[in-house]
Amino acid sequence: MARTSSYVHFHDIPDVVLAIIFSLVVDTRTRNVMSLVCLKWYLLERSTRKSLTLRGNIRDLFLLPTCFRAVTHLDLSLLSPWGHPLLDSSPNPLLLAQLFRHAFPSVVSLVVYIRNPSTLHLLAPQWPNLRHVKLIRWHQRLPTEPLGSDFTALFEHSGMLSSLDVSLFHSWTEDLPLAIEAYPLIAASLSHLNILKHSSAEGFKSHELLAITASCPNLRKLLATCIFDHRFFGFVGDQTLLALASNCPCLSLLHLVDATSLSNVRPDPNDEGYTSEDASISHTTLGDVFSGLPLLEELVLDVCYNVKDAWPALELLNSRCPRLKALKLGQFHGICRGIDARPDGIALCQGLESLSIKNSADLTDKALEAISLGCPRLSKFEVLGCKKITGKGMWELTHALRKTLVHVKISFCKNFNAVSSLQAMEPIRDRIERLHIDCVWGTFNNSENQTGSSSSQEPGESYNLQARKIDMIKEEKRLKKKSKSHFHDVDDDNLFSSRTWSKLHNLSLWIGVGELLTPLSLAGLDDCPILEEIEIKIEGDSRNQQRPCMDSVGLRSLACYPRLSRMLLDCSGVIGYALTAPPGQADLSLWERFFLNGIEILNLKELNYWPAQDMDVNQRSLFLPAVALLAQCRSLRKLFIHGTANEHFMMFLLRIPTLRDVQVREDYYPAPENDTSTEMRVESCRRFEDALNSSNRHIPD
């Protein structure tokens, strides 16, 4: 072999090849580091950047960089002050809009916060080749604006528009149908439409949904919030579903969700799982809809009202939608009978790679067994609000799918606590990458004693989990026969706690207000060497709770994860008193201290924090105890507060030596229209950012 010259330099690589290498690097901070190597690399990095999110204050927009001329995706939704009208800060808004076009001439994908229609009237003409647009608005729609006016400018000037996302854009449901019908050429060119309203409790009525789909026959992806309750005018039923399939036969993604499903209200664990009303959807109609959508690859039907004995219709999915890869069903019952563990119903969809089952009242362990045998390609599996399944059934499923399953979510299930959920994951502990469990700390004995509600377990018998594990490892043939042994109580020393979760990098937790995170590591989740991100959702009414008896929810217990660097701490589901609480109860400032105490010992680089709320005054504010604790996070680089904050409190955060990026985002509906004197206003935000970016602050890196 010829000897490689030791004098070959990285700069000897042809510029074309080097440009391709740079274009393959996606991480923003890595690209910024690469640009510091030399001038050539700086120019090359800037010329190959395709995606850019602008930060900074809107008063400095005249300083827009002009070196990112190849950027095709531009995000303008996170400029500061967050939610402020984008161009109103300039004495000449049109000139500023033209400056955007000069700085980013190649933009075809745009994300922008639209406080009022004038922003789009100025920006849309600057990029006539826009193909993908996402609009964001959490503030209330101006009632004086004509119907459809929010979309007029966009449709007038974006003749090549193919994708529109208004899932985070608050508007009336009457706005979009009128605008789409007024611009038939734009409607015909749309292939992706996301009208899944997260900013409103209203869903699209049947006639509005049909008007949209009739005008957009070439849609390939449709996500929409609907009304499935037949007691309301404009509900979605058989006729609407059939017409929708006829209007858009090329759909590859269909996502229909009832508006009440987005409220994330935790179901009552003691009810049977059935709603008082049935959806007006028949099995015959479902079969006809599936036949009319042969290209379907992803289907979500979360109707929130009973669809009973659904297995005959779901059996048709495999033959009539052969490309189906992802399926989510909400409030569908009888989706799989699981008789003698033979696949039927949903278990016949052999090509499924992702399956989510929500509020299926009669889903049993036998059904899980049939699904694990009939859907061998599943890599993602979620069960929410299913009352009859037990740890036995989940353990059988994870063992059967141990070669493919990497993403699991178990939530709101009556027979699962944190310990039983983790033990059910034992067969895939060394493979699972993403996991969600509920931090319910009942004893394991009590959890398993409830499994008598499952049809797969006979009264008086117990299941030996350890013996089952050993038997199935030694004799693979027993997997098909599914031995009839049953649970028995697991030893107190936690059988599987010494095993390592070697690939788990994302962990999601739900916890009730007043509960603790401390037992998490003791439950078997103590060894996660590459866990980088954790999401914690805390919910409950603190007004019904006594003062916390402990000093912390237990964030310091997360210090056992050495690579944990990102956290999403969502306390927006906690309701309490923002002002003075009645005697014997704690206001939200004390609860925030309880939630955040101990966070200072974690080596976090990025934190998203949603403060608790007082619904009576629509206030989600950061209190002094929370700011004092956050200011002690010495390694924090990015901090995003999804609420409001006092300017004086925010100045405490300047004590964090590594802090580079901070923003207060009121991204909840309805976002406050007028900031009070105690919260971050335009000038308050300017003063804080000036102090944050001051040359007197020395950033270690």
Side-chain angles (χ1 to χ4, degrees):
M1 293 179 60
R3 185 176 178 181
T4 304
S5 174
S6 60
Y7 298 101
V8 175
H9 194 275
F10 195 77
H11 281 240
D12 295 333
I13 299 176
D15 289 347
V16 175
V17 177
L18 198 58
I20 295 175
I21 295 175
F22 271 64
S23 65
L24 295 176
V25 180
V26 178
D27 182 67
T28 301
R29 194 177 183 198
T30 302
R31 294 186 66 98
N32 291 337
V33 171
M34 293 166 61
S35 68
L36 299 176
V37 173
C38 62
L39 179 60
K40 179 180 179 180
W41 282 33
Y42 170 83
L43 296 175
L44 197 56
E45 193 281 324
R46 297 300 190 254
S47 65
T48 57
R49 182 80 69 98
K50 296 296 182 182
S51 178
L52 185 67
T53 299
L54 277 188
R55 292 286 286 108
N57 200 288
I58 55 176
R59 77 181 191 279
D60 299 325
L61 287 178
F62 67 94
L63 298 174
L64 280 174
T66 58
C67 54
F68 297 101
R69 304 187 62 83
V71 165
T72 57
H73 173 79
L74 181 63
D75 189 343
L76 303 177
S77 65
L78 299 178
L79 289 165
S80 296
W82 183 92
H84 192 77
L86 178 61
L87 303 176
D88 287 8
S89 62
S90 172
N92 191 336
L94 178 59
L95 181 62
L96 185 56
Q98 293 172 344
L99 184 59
F100 272 110
R101 179 186 60 187
H102 174 72
F104 310 106
S106 305
V107 169
V108 296
S109 176
L110 178 67
V111 182
V112 60
Y113 196 98
I114 303 298
R115 185 73 175 266
N116 52 57
S118 63
T119 302
L120 271 182
H121 280 283
L122 294 171
L123 283 181
Q126 311 306 322
W127 294 297
N129 296 325
L130 281 177
R131 293 184 176 88
H132 311 282
V133 174
K134 181 176 182 178
L135 306 180
I136 300 176
R137 180 170 65 198
W138 291 96
H139 291 83
Q140 297 187 60
R141 177 195 187 278
L142 296 177
T144 57
E145 295 292 339
L147 289 177
S149 60
D150 286 318
F151 307 101
T152 301
L154 178 65
F155 291 168
E156 278 185 357
H157 300 284
S158 304
M160 302 179 66
L161 190 66
S162 63
S163 174
L164 178 62
D165 186 345
V166 292
S167 59
L168 301 180
F169 183 75
H170 179 260
S171 61
W172 297 343
T173 58
E174 300 90 345
D175 284 319
L176 189 59
L178 286 177
I180 284 182
E181 289 177 333
Y183 295 89
L185 294 180
I186 295 295
S189 67
L190 283 177
S191 62
H192 182 182
L193 181 61
N194 188 344
I195 51 177
L196 195 67
K197 292 289 186 180
H198 292 275
S199 60
S200 173
E202 298 181 3
F204 285 88
K205 298 178 177 63
S206 58
H207 63 275
E208 295 168 342
L209 193 61
L210 292 182
I212 292 173
T213 55
S215 301
C216 306
N218 298 315
L219 280 179
R220 295 186 178 275
K221 297 182 180 181
L222 173 63
L223 301 89
T225 310
C226 312
I227 301 174
F228 285 99
D229 190 346
H230 65 86
R231 297 170 294 182
F232 285 82
F233 172 74
F235 74 92
V236 172
D238 286 345
Q239 298 302 319
T240 306
L241 293 178
L242 290 171
L244 188 151
S246 175
N247 292 341
C248 304
C250 298
L251 283 175
S252 62
L253 183 153
L254 178 60
H255 192 139
L256 299 180
V257 175
D258 188 85
T260 58
S261 177
L262 300 178
S263 62
N264 292 323
V265 177
R266 191 172 178 87
D268 183 358
N270 296 319
D271 65 20
E272 295 183 357
Y274 295 98
T275 58
S276 59
E277 300 291 334
D278 294 343
S280 296
I281 301 175
S282 66
H283 305 156
T284 304
T285 296
L286 285 175
D288 293 340
V289 170
F290 299 155
S291 298
L293 300 173
L295 303 180
L296 209 57
E297 298 179 11
E298 182 174 345
L299 174 64
V300 176
L301 292 175
D302 192 354
V303 301
C304 290
Y305 297 92
N306 299 324
V307 180
K308 298 180 180 179
D309 299 323
W311 63 269
L314 297 177
E315 286 185 345
L316 301 175
L317 270 174
N318 188 49
S319 58
R320 300 185 181 181
C321 303
R323 299 185 181 182
L324 191 67
K325 296 291 188 296
L327 177 64
K328 179 177 180 179
L329 300 174
Q331 214 64 42
F332 276 66
H333 312 291
I335 61 175
C336 178
R337 294 175 297 173
I339 300 176
D340 296 329
R342 290 196 303 267
D344 61 32
I346 199 175
L348 293 180
C349 300
Q350 301 177 3
L352 281 182
E353 298 175 3
S354 173
L355 176 60
S356 178
I357 304 172
K358 180 180 178 182
N359 296 337
S360 183
D362 54 3
L363 186 73
T364 64
D365 288 349
K366 288 294 184 182
L368 292 182
E369 185 178 353
I371 290 172
S372 67
L373 296 176
C375 306
R377 300 180 183 179
L378 282 180
S379 61
K380 178 180 179 181
F381 184 69
E382 298 180 344
V383 280
L384 301 89
C386 299
K387 306 298 179 62
K388 291 190 175 183
I389 61 174
T390 70
K392 169 188 180 297
M394 277 301 300
W395 196 89
E396 299 272 7
L397 181 138
T398 57
H399 186 278
L401 299 173
R402 63 190 181 279
K403 294 183 179 180
T404 60
L405 198 60
V406 295
H407 185 174
V408 178
K409 179 176 183 178
I410 305 174
S411 189
F412 309 155
C413 295
K414 180 179 180 179
N415 296 323
F416 284 86
N417 57 25
V419 175
S420 56
S421 297
L422 293 175
Q423 289 177 343
M425 297 299 105
E426 192 277 335
I428 57 172
R429 183 172 296 194
D430 60 342
R431 296 182 55 87
I432 190 168
E433 299 174 3
R434 302 177 67 92
L435 174 65
H436 172 94
I437 62 171
D438 291 350
C439 292
V440 179
W441 303 118
T443 63
F444 186 76
N445 293 345
N446 292 340
S447 173
E448 294 307 329
N449 288 338
Q450 295 171 346
T451 60
S453 60
S454 173
S455 64
S456 62
Q457 183 170 354
E458 299 178 6
E461 294 184 298
S462 61
Y463 177 79
N464 188 322
L465 183 60
Q466 183 179 12
R468 180 64 169 159
K469 168 179 173 280
I470 297 173
D471 289 344
M472 296 188 78
I473 292 175
K474 291 183 176 180
E475 302 180 54
E476 188 62 24
K477 292 182 180 180
R478 297 188 64 180
L479 175 63
K480 298 180 180 179
K481 297 180 180 179
K482 300 296 179 183
S483 165
K484 303 302 181 180
S485 56
H486 295 276
F487 268 92
H488 89 310
D489 297 342
V490 175
D491 295 337
D492 293 337
D493 59 353
N494 196 353
L495 177 61
F496 306 121
S497 61
S498 61
R499 293 282 298 276
T500 300
W501 303 75
S502 56
K503 294 186 178 180
L504 184 67
H505 60 79
N506 181 282
L507 176 64
S508 175
L509 304 171
W510 177 93
I511 183 170
V513 63
E515 297 293 332
L516 302 177
L517 282 172
T518 309
L520 187 64
S521 59
L522 301 177
L525 204 60
D526 56 336
D527 192 358
C528 306
I530 68 167
L531 182 64
E532 297 179 346
E533 182 174 6
I534 189 167
E535 305 173 19
I536 303 174
K537 175 74 172 178
I538 306 177
E539 288 184 330
D541 192 341
S542 67
R543 297 173 298 185
N544 300 328
Q545 302 279 337
Q546 297 296 322
R547 289 174 176 267
C549 58
M550 304 291 288
D551 65 339
S552 170
V553 73
L555 290 184
R556 58 172 56 92
S557 66
L558 304 180
C560 64
Y561 308 128
R563 296 185 58 179
L564 182 62
S565 60
R566 295 190 300 275
M567 177 183 290
L568 285 78
L569 182 57
D570 186 355
C571 303
S572 61
V574 176
I575 303 171
Y577 299 102
L579 306 176
T580 304
Q585 294 185 331
D587 58 27
L588 289 181
S589 65
L590 294 178
W591 279 107
E592 275 202 321
R593 176 184 296 166
F594 174 72
F595 297 146
L596 289 170
N597 199 2
I599 197 172
E600 67 277 2
I601 70 172
L602 304 180
N603 192 31
L604 295 179
K605 300 292 189 299
E606 180 177 337
L607 174 64
N608 279 263
Y609 177 61
W610 286 260
Q613 61 173 317
D614 188 332
M615 299 184 66
D616 294 336
V617 295
N618 189 32
Q619 182 176 353
R620 304 187 188 188
S621 296
L622 203 64
F623 293 94
L624 179 59
V627 176
L629 291 168
L630 292 175
Q632 299 179 50
C633 299
R634 313 301 291 176
S635 60
L636 206 60
R637 291 183 58 87
K638 297 182 179 181
L639 174 61
F640 304 115
I641 301 167
H642 301 264
T644 60
N646 184 288
E647 178 186 355
H648 174 66
F649 292 167
M650 292 294 291
M651 291 299 179
F652 280 81
L653 300 177
L654 299 177
R655 300 177 180 179
I656 305 176
T658 57
L659 196 62
R660 297 294 300 271
D661 192 2
V662 184
Q663 191 168 43
V664 176
R665 303 172 182 171
E666 300 165 343
D667 49 356
Y668 54 91
Y669 179 80
E673 292 291 338
N674 300 307
D675 294 331
T676 66
S677 60
T678 60
E679 294 169 345
M680 293 292 285
R681 305 177 304 278
V682 175
E683 288 302 309
S684 304
C685 186
R686 179 187 62 80
R687 287 190 290 268
F688 173 75
E689 291 181 349
D690 286 346
L692 180 67
N693 299 318
S694 171
S695 58
N696 295 329
R697 290 188 74 241
H698 174 69
I699 308 297
D701 59 349

